[in-house]
Amino acid sequence: MRLLRLLWVVLLALPSFFVYSQDATVDIDKVLQAADKNVFVNPTLAKKLLTQAERYLADKDLPAYEAHLLNLKSHSYILEGNYQLAYEKATQAKKLATEAGNQLQLAEALRRQGIITYFFDLYGESLELLLNSLSIHQSLDTTYIQNTLQAIGNLYAKSNQWADNLINTGEQLVAESIKRGNTYYEEQGYGFIISGLLAQGKVTQAKSLIDRVNTNPDEFAPILNFYLAKTHLQLGNYEEALAVTEDIVKHAVAGKHRQRELSGLTLQSEVLLKLERIDEATQTVLRFLSIAQDLDITEYQYEGLKMQANIALLQGQYRDAYQFLLQHSELKQQVFDTRQSEQLAFNRARLETDQKIQKITELELSQQLSEQNSTFQVYIIVTICCVAILLFFMFVITLKQKRELRELALNLQKATDAKSEFLARMSHEIRTPVNAIVGLTKLTQKSVVNEEQKTNLNQIEQSSQTLLGVINDVLDFSKIEAGKLDIESEAFELDKLVEQVIRLHGLNAREKRIELLQYVARDVPLQVSGDALRIEQVLNNLLSNAIKFTDEGMVFVSVNKKYSERGVLLEFSVKDTGIGLSTDQIESLFDAFTQADESITRKYGGTGLGLSICKHLVSLMGGEIWVESKLGQGATFLFTVLVEQHNQMPQPTTLGNLTLSDLKVLVVDDVMLSRQAIAEALLRININPDLATGGKEALMHLRTAMASNAPYDLIIIDWKMADIDGIELASIINQEFSQGKPNIAMLSAYDIESLKTLGRPVGVEYYLQKPVNSSSLQNCLLRMSTRGKPQMAALESDANVPPDFSKKNILLVEDDAINRKVAKLFLADTKAKVSVAENGLIALQMLEQENVFDLVLMDMQMPVMDGLTAAQKIREELKLDVPIVAMTAHAMQTEIEKSFAVGMNAHIVKPVKPEYLYQVLQEQFVNPPKEKPKP
């Protein structure tokens, strides 16, 4: 009995369990997709599927699926003609889709709203909705792009004024349908294009497009054939038009497409009237009027009445024609009134829907606020309790943290003191020998007149100064971090400061054949107070970088005065024609230990501290620093500082036996910045010069001056110019102006000795090294007044006689330019023939192409291919037994063993002593050792 009761309970529960299981296993996504596919082809099945989906979603919070369901119900109502309810469902779907962030359903809701408003002749609103829907569908690349374009095309087809838009929409629809392989929409797209062309009166172009597209005679294309008939009609090919309309009607009847049959009969009636086949036209009109009445399409009804009136007129039946026209007018008014009523009702229903949705939204918001208020009250109570507990614990923790902070502060102070002590000690230990190097170098420079030796000594001094610069950067950065860097204020002469900075970097610029220019604006005060040392430090850093990152062209240093209420604000600018900077590189350029990228560090070196220090220094001096640059187009670094102006010293009015303001001077330079700088320097000493952009213009000035009996006293000519170089121009002046020839001063940024050799034969007496400033110009004018000429001193020095390796070919493999130069100079004294490779890969290529080398001097650490790899490949791949001598800064025993392991014959540690180098080379040339090399 108990078993039977249990069985009965189970049987009663089965139906409900089955229903629950059925709902639980519903795949809502598949159900909605199936309903979407059957909305057109099987509306009954679609309704069942929508009912199932609605039942499933009734107790669930799935706004995205609810939006999909509402969109499909809206479309179902559109097909039934219930537009008001369809619009309400589409509006609800739009709200849910927006809340769920579902762009696809939002686009579909907008599309359906656009279609519904189109039915009520609200074309502007409809177009806006459809275009918004199209934009979203295109961003998602959905298949509904075709449906939306079709709806937009139908709207544009309503007026000939939109013919261009219709053609454009058709082209988009054709492209999209070809992409997706949909021939139906492709034909529709071509129909839009042809309709637009006909509206523009381009009948021939429309006919050509139809002939090009309609190429398959076995497949009847109703839309294309409809427009083919219209094209024939407009071209006057009435028989051809009639034949096409008969085909349209025949296929429509066979396929039971009543509306397509109606369109074909309407067009056929027009053709028959053109052919004056009145009886047939009358029958055709009666036939399509019957279909229009069956389908309740009023547009075709009053079109038929209009045709009947035309037929009656042709037959002379004016009373009948009047009756038909009267019926046509009444029907048209009736349709208009009905449409107005429908629009009014639709707008009223739409307003009610919007108000209903707004009320629902307000209720939801009110409920949310109520819930939040309740939650907030609970939170306040809990928070008060928590705060009380936290305050107690914080009091206890604070006491502990204060004790720990005191200990931490003490430890930090000790660490700071230790760091400062270490930096000071290291600075002392490094500065001591560097100072000796610099001092001895300067002493030696006084006793040496050989230009090459002077260059070598200058490079020693430059390298020492670089090392000192690194130490200074580290110390300055440490002071900045500790807040102990102070700015002083002392009187100084601004032009002398700029000249000193320029002079310091002149050698580097000349070696790279870079033109160095300076410009100090006339309104800039020269006697000022400020921190000259720090201004010079910033200028040195920027100018050094400009020369470092410029391979050709020029570097231009300028000083201008800017307006400021706080005092005299000077703007310094360093402009170069170098590698430039990208926007990303500029963003982090002034951060500590930062360079543009790692390749910059590898190629040009540097700690990345300089610009960071400059930024702090400029800030302390009341200014700011920034850069203007584009990658590959050079850079301009600018910074401003505040200074105090002093009483300015009067500029000289005479020099020697010359009255400066009476001098007539011509400046000839094809570089605008250079002309401007020289002109400003002359104006500072009360000389107002004439300017010429090249040799030809200079000759015109000279000839004019001679003709007016006002010759020039001095002509300043740049050596390298585009049209006529300075030497050629000087030669022409010598030949043409033998009487009243001006003094000639020749300008050059480099190779001044070569210039003197070329200039003396053509009468050039004075030479100026760029950049030109007021001081150098005054010296030149002073020599003019006294006819003095600079003398060159010479001093010979002895050197130890190195061995004679004149019959030996040596391959020097070294990536560092200075080290290459040092090695080449050492080897030059031996008269050996030296070839250079900048890395191991180039060395391998040279040895493979020409095996003429008696010895290889190999650096170990190089880019592309290091020395160890290169030596190993020489032995193993090229099978050469040429002696290889390592010449490297690696001094560790492990590094010496590595060089021997790959087949090197000897190991020389840098810095290289020439005597030891000669000794090792001598040993290798006589008998290459096979045992382990000695350092």
Side-chain angles (χ1 to χ4, degrees):
M1 189 68 181
R2 186 177 296 173
L3 183 62
L4 289 172
R5 285 180 180 175
L6 180 62
L7 182 61
W8 177 249
V9 171
V10 170
L11 288 173
L12 287 174
L14 275 176
S16 60
F17 175 77
F18 175 75
V19 172
Y20 173 77
S21 304
Q22 189 179 29
D23 282 346
T25 56
V26 167
D27 187 338
I28 187 63
D29 199 34
K30 288 185 177 179
V31 170
L32 291 173
Q33 288 179 9
D36 199 348
K37 291 179 181 177
N38 286 282
V39 166
F40 284 105
V41 296
N42 194 342
T44 305
L45 176 59
K47 282 187 177 181
K48 290 181 180 179
L49 291 169
L50 292 175
T51 302
Q52 183 183 2
E54 189 172 15
R55 186 170 61 248
Y56 174 80
L57 293 170
D59 58 348
K60 295 176 177 61
D61 185 20
L62 299 171
Y65 288 117
E66 289 182 47
H68 194 175
L69 171 65
L70 288 168
N71 271 324
L72 293 176
K73 292 183 76 173
S74 172
H75 212 107
S76 179
Y77 286 132
I78 290 173
L79 296 176
E80 293 174 4
N82 192 343
Y83 300 131
Q84 294 180 10
L85 196 53
Y87 190 87
E88 181 180 340
K89 297 301 179 185
T91 304
Q92 293 172 0
K94 182 169 74 171
K95 177 178 179 296
L96 288 172
T98 303
E99 292 174 358
N102 191 314
Q103 292 294 298
L104 175 60
Q105 295 307 320
L106 174 60
E108 281 297 274
L110 291 170
R111 181 167 72 89
R112 286 168 174 84
Q113 285 184 325
I115 292 171
I116 295 165
T117 50
Y118 165 78
F119 288 147
F120 288 99
D121 298 338
L122 302 172
Y123 296 143
E125 185 177 349
S126 173
L127 181 60
E128 182 180 0
L129 290 165
L130 290 172
L131 289 175
N132 288 337
S133 173
L134 177 63
S135 176
I136 298 172
H137 277 308
Q138 287 177 334
S139 68
L140 300 174
D141 194 26
T142 69
T143 56
Y144 297 106
I145 296 173
Q146 301 168 106
N147 308 62
T148 313
L149 285 169
Q150 183 189 36
I152 294 170
N154 289 333
L155 192 152
Y156 284 140
K158 281 290 183 179
S159 173
N160 289 345
Q161 294 180 348
W162 292 336
D164 290 335
N165 303 82
L166 182 60
I167 293 170
N168 181 51
T169 303
E171 289 171 347
Q172 291 184 62
L173 184 54
V174 169
E176 187 67 26
S177 57
I178 290 173
K179 170 184 169 183
R180 301 187 185 277
N182 192 317
T183 55
Y184 169 76
Y185 283 115
E186 183 182 357
E187 183 184 355
Q188 181 71 66
Y190 282 121
F192 288 153
I193 298 171
I194 296 163
S195 177
L197 291 172
L198 291 175
Q200 292 177 338
K202 299 176 180 179
V203 183
T204 306
Q205 192 173 340
K207 178 65 169 59
S208 299
L209 179 59
I210 294 170
D211 293 340
R212 179 166 58 84
V213 175
N214 195 16
T215 56
N216 190 355
D218 298 329
E219 185 177 341
F220 186 78
I223 295 175
L224 292 176
N225 277 279
F226 177 80
Y227 284 110
L228 177 61
K230 290 193 74 170
T231 306
H232 280 310
L233 181 61
Q234 291 193 26
L235 290 172
N237 303 328
Y238 302 133
E239 294 294 342
E240 289 86 344
L242 182 62
V244 175
T245 56
E246 288 172 351
D247 282 345
I248 293 172
V249 173
K250 181 177 71 175
H251 281 86
V253 171
K256 296 181 180 181
H257 296 296
R258 299 296 302 282
Q259 193 160 346
R260 194 176 294 168
E261 180 185 356
L262 182 60
S263 300
L265 289 170
T266 305
L267 190 57
Q268 191 176 58
S269 301
E270 283 188 63
V271 177
L272 290 169
L273 284 174
K274 291 291 183 181
L275 291 169
E276 298 183 358
R277 292 159 65 170
I278 306 301
D279 293 339
E280 293 179 52
T282 303
Q283 295 302 316
T284 305
V285 170
L286 291 173
R287 183 177 168 187
F288 86 67
L289 270 174
S290 174
I291 297 172
Q293 289 170 355
D294 291 345
L295 297 177
D296 194 23
I297 302 177
T298 54
E299 288 85 352
Y300 284 102
Q301 290 179 37
Y302 59 74
E303 184 66 27
L305 290 169
K306 187 176 179 180
M307 284 191 178
Q308 285 183 319
N310 289 334
I311 292 170
L313 287 171
L314 290 173
Q315 292 176 333
Q317 299 171 0
Y318 301 114
R319 184 181 296 277
D320 291 343
Y322 174 74
Q323 290 298 324
F324 286 134
L325 288 173
L326 186 62
Q327 292 177 38
H328 170 269
S329 177
E330 290 174 352
L331 181 60
K332 197 166 185 179
Q333 184 63 43
Q334 181 184 346
V335 170
F336 176 78
D337 293 341
T338 303
R339 181 53 56 93
Q340 289 292 312
S341 300
E342 289 175 348
Q343 283 185 358
L344 184 62
F346 172 71
N347 286 326
R348 187 181 297 112
R350 184 164 58 165
L351 180 62
E352 291 174 358
T353 300
D354 292 341
Q355 291 174 345
K356 188 189 303 181
I357 291 174
Q358 184 178 359
K359 190 171 183 180
I360 292 170
T361 304
E362 289 174 354
L363 288 172
E364 289 175 350
L365 182 60
S366 176
Q367 184 178 358
Q368 289 175 3
L369 288 172
S370 177
E371 292 173 356
Q372 287 176 0
N373 286 334
S374 300
T375 307
F376 183 66
Q377 291 173 359
V378 175
Y379 283 161
I380 288 176
I381 296 170
V382 173
T383 302
I384 291 172
C385 295
C386 292
V387 167
I389 297 169
L390 283 172
L391 285 173
F392 173 75
F393 281 107
M394 286 176 65
F395 176 73
V396 176
I397 294 169
T398 302
L399 292 176
K400 183 180 178 181
Q401 286 180 340
K402 283 183 178 179
R403 185 171 59 254
E404 292 175 349
L405 283 171
R406 282 194 295 269
E407 294 176 359
L408 181 60
L410 184 61
N411 291 333
L412 284 173
Q413 185 60 46
K414 288 179 180 178
T416 302
D417 293 342
K419 184 178 76 170
S420 299
E421 184 180 351
F422 170 76
L423 287 172
R425 183 173 299 175
M426 289 302 297
S427 173
H428 177 268
E429 293 300 321
I430 295 175
R431 281 171 180 272
T432 300
V434 170
N435 187 58
I437 294 169
V438 173
L440 291 172
T441 301
K442 288 185 177 295
L443 288 171
T444 308
Q445 285 174 324
K446 293 181 179 179
S447 61
V448 175
V449 296
N450 182 281
E451 287 299 323
E452 187 173 354
Q453 291 175 344
K454 280 185 178 180
T455 301
N456 296 341
L457 291 171
N458 285 335
Q459 288 177 343
I460 293 171
E461 183 180 5
Q462 178 187 346
S463 298
S464 303
Q465 293 295 342
T466 301
L467 180 57
L468 280 174
V470 172
I471 300 303
N472 287 334
D473 283 351
V474 173
L475 288 175
D476 283 343
F477 189 72
S478 176
K479 289 179 183 178
I480 289 168
E481 282 190 324
K484 296 179 179 178
L485 188 65
D486 298 322
I487 296 298
E488 299 178 358
S489 181
E490 295 178 352
F492 67 94
E493 295 183 44
L494 182 63
D495 56 339
K496 298 292 176 59
L497 183 144
V498 175
E499 289 172 18
Q500 182 177 332
V501 173
I502 293 287
R503 195 181 308 114
L504 181 63
H505 297 277
L507 178 62
N508 288 342
R510 288 194 292 275
E511 285 181 348
K512 295 185 73 173
R513 304 183 74 81
I514 295 170
E515 191 164 339
L516 199 55
L517 304 174
Q518 74 176 70
Y519 168 82
V520 179
R522 270 179 294 164
D523 62 342
V524 172
L526 300 183
Q527 280 74 38
V528 295
S529 286
D531 197 328
L533 179 64
R534 296 305 180 184
I535 294 174
E536 184 176 347
Q537 183 178 347
V538 176
L539 266 179
N540 272 325
N541 188 285
L542 298 182
L543 188 53
S544 174
N545 285 345
I547 294 172
K548 182 194 299 183
F549 297 118
T550 302
D551 293 326
E552 60 180 357
M554 67 177 181
V555 175
F556 182 61
V557 181
S558 64
V559 187
N560 289 282
K561 182 180 176 182
K562 296 295 180 180
Y563 172 76
S564 174
E565 295 179 352
R566 297 179 294 166
V568 178
L569 186 67
L570 299 180
E571 182 186 81
F572 295 83
S573 167
V574 180
K575 180 178 182 179
D576 64 62
T577 56
I579 60 177
L581 295 161
S582 66
T583 304
D584 293 338
Q585 292 170 341
I586 290 173
E587 288 179 358
S588 60
L589 191 63
F590 293 98
D591 297 339
F593 302 104
T594 300
Q595 288 198 337
D597 54 48
E598 291 301 322
S599 63
I600 296 295
T601 304
R602 289 194 300 270
K603 183 173 181 181
Y604 297 102
T607 61
L609 279 175
L611 289 177
S612 175
I613 293 170
C614 288
K615 181 179 179 181
H616 284 89
L617 291 177
V618 169
S619 177
L620 289 172
M621 290 187 285
E624 57 181 342
I625 186 170
W626 69 97
V627 61
E628 299 170 357
S629 178
K630 289 184 179 179
L631 194 62
Q633 298 182 20
T636 303
F637 281 83
L638 304 102
F639 71 94
T640 56
V641 294
L642 278 171
V643 296
E644 292 182 12
Q645 182 173 344
H646 285 195
N647 293 330
Q648 304 300 298
M649 294 177 61
Q651 294 295 335
T653 57
T654 61
L655 195 63
N657 57 7
L658 300 176
T659 301
L660 296 178
S661 59
D662 292 339
L663 289 178
K664 189 170 183 181
V665 178
L666 175 63
V667 178
V668 188
D669 198 321
D670 59 345
V671 178
M672 185 270 290
L673 290 175
S674 180
R675 284 198 310 276
Q676 183 183 12
I678 297 168
E680 284 292 323
L682 287 167
L683 287 167
R684 273 198 176 273
I685 57 175
N686 298 316
I687 296 176
N688 190 4
D690 293 333
L691 305 179
T693 59
K696 294 178 180 178
E697 188 178 343
L699 289 171
M700 290 174 58
H701 278 284
L702 287 167
R703 288 165 183 157
T704 303
M706 290 297 291
S708 59
N709 199 24
Y712 285 99
D713 299 294
L714 174 66
I715 176 169
I716 301 172
I717 307 173
D718 186 31
W719 179 15
K720 303 289 187 180
M721 292 188 294
D723 58 348
I724 303 175
D725 70 23
I727 298 299
E728 185 180 350
L729 179 59
S731 178
I732 294 171
I733 292 171
N734 262 340
Q735 295 173 11
E736 186 172 339
F737 304 99
S738 57
Q739 297 295 326
K741 188 191 81 168
N743 293 291
I744 298 175
M746 193 73 71
L747 290 168
S748 179
Y750 37 77
D751 286 350
I752 200 72
E753 293 302 322
S754 301
L755 176 59
K756 288 178 180 179
T757 304
L758 296 171
R760 289 190 184 101
V762 294
V764 179
E765 299 180 11
Y766 309 104
Y767 302 88
L768 292 171
Q769 181 89 46
K770 288 186 178 180
V772 176
N773 51 52
S774 298
S775 298
S776 58
L777 286 169
Q778 286 184 43
N779 291 336
C780 176
L781 293 171
L782 183 61
R783 291 198 302 273
M784 277 178 54
S785 67
T786 60
R787 282 297 177 184
K789 297 183 181 179
Q791 300 297 319
M792 299 295 293
L795 182 66
E796 296 182 356
S797 62
D798 297 325
N800 295 326
V801 179
D804 183 7
F805 295 149
S806 57
K807 296 183 180 180
K808 301 296 182 181
N809 286 325
I810 298 175
L811 176 59
L812 173 62
V813 188
E814 173 63 71
D815 65 311
D816 185 83
I818 294 178
N819 286 337
R820 280 201 306 272
K821 184 170 185 177
V822 171
K824 286 174 69 178
L825 287 172
F826 287 164
L827 294 171
D829 292 336
T830 69
K831 301 179 183 178
K833 297 176 182 176
V834 181
S835 300
V836 175
E838 294 179 0
N839 56 60
L841 181 61
I842 297 174
L844 280 179
Q845 294 169 350
M846 293 175 69
L847 285 166
E848 188 177 9
Q849 292 170 3
E850 44 180 329
N851 186 14
V852 297
F853 298 105
D854 302 294
L855 184 137
V856 178
L857 279 173
M858 181 78 72
D859 187 21
M860 290 179 67
Q861 186 170 333
M862 296 179 291
V864 185
M865 183 184 288
D866 60 84
L868 292 174
T869 305
Q872 189 173 10
K873 289 182 177 290
I874 291 170
R875 298 298 186 223
E876 295 177 2
E877 295 183 8
L878 301 184
K879 307 295 183 183
L880 299 177
D881 59 355
V882 59
I884 305 174
V885 177
M887 190 165 66
T888 175
H890 291 305
M892 299 294 289
Q893 186 61 33
T894 53
E895 299 295 337
I896 297 173
E897 291 172 356
K898 285 180 182 178
S899 65
F900 180 72
V902 296
M904 293 192 183
N905 302 92
H907 190 105
I908 302 174
V909 177
K910 296 176 181 176
V912 178
K913 295 180 180 179
E915 297 81 7
Y916 181 69
L917 172 64
Y918 301 151
Q919 178 186 338
V920 173
L921 295 181
Q922 187 72 37
E923 290 174 358
Q924 294 302 315
F925 288 138
V926 174
N927 185 21
K930 298 299 181 183
E931 73 274 12
K932 187 175 179 179
K934 296 179 181 180

